[in-house]
Amino acid sequence: MWMTTSVKTHSPKNHRMRRPNRRILCQEAGMPRTTKPSTEAVHNRRQERIETRTRSEAWKKPPRRIESAECITCDSCVRSCPPEFGAIVDRGLQVVIVPELCSGCPKCVAVCPVDCIYVDEKSEPTGDDLWNLVVSNEHGAR
């Protein structure tokens, strides 16, 4: 009696999906795609977005938003947001996304246990109170 076993191969397509997206990181730092930007360059670009309070023109996807009525404030999204963006802010009983810092990547959506994060086609400029919180968190992280 012959026994057959199935061998799972690692397809190149799936392998590409697991790599970090250097295209966005390099666009943000103004570097060629083959070069990985330094942590300092990424931090400086984020600082520039905080100071100017504008989204990067290189970002083609719209920002995300959190539906507060559905959110359970588990902070999974806060932990999953890449530090080069740092777009999700915990305001105590409410978690919000700063659209000017959000690249539209789906990392927060993938980890949300209640699926309360949506594409925000009509995002409005962030208010001063939230920007003050972002700035204070930035200074506290150093």
Side-chain angles (χ1 to χ4, degrees), residues 72-110:
I72 59 172
T73 321
C74 66
D75 286 352
S76 294
C77 56
V78 176
R79 292 187 301 273
S80 70
C81 185
E84 59 266 19
F85 306 123
I88 305 176
V89 180
D90 186 347
R91 297 176 81 180
L93 297 175
Q94 186 181 24
V95 179
V96 294
I97 297 177
V98 179
E100 292 86 354
L101 300 178
C102 180
S103 70
C105 80
K107 294 195 182 228
C108 58
V109 176

Side-chain angles (χ1 to χ4, degrees), residues 5 26 37 48 53 66 100 106 116 125 130:
T5 58
C26 291
E48 183 181 311
R53 297 183 178 191
I66 297 175
E100 292 86 354
C116 68
L130 189 54

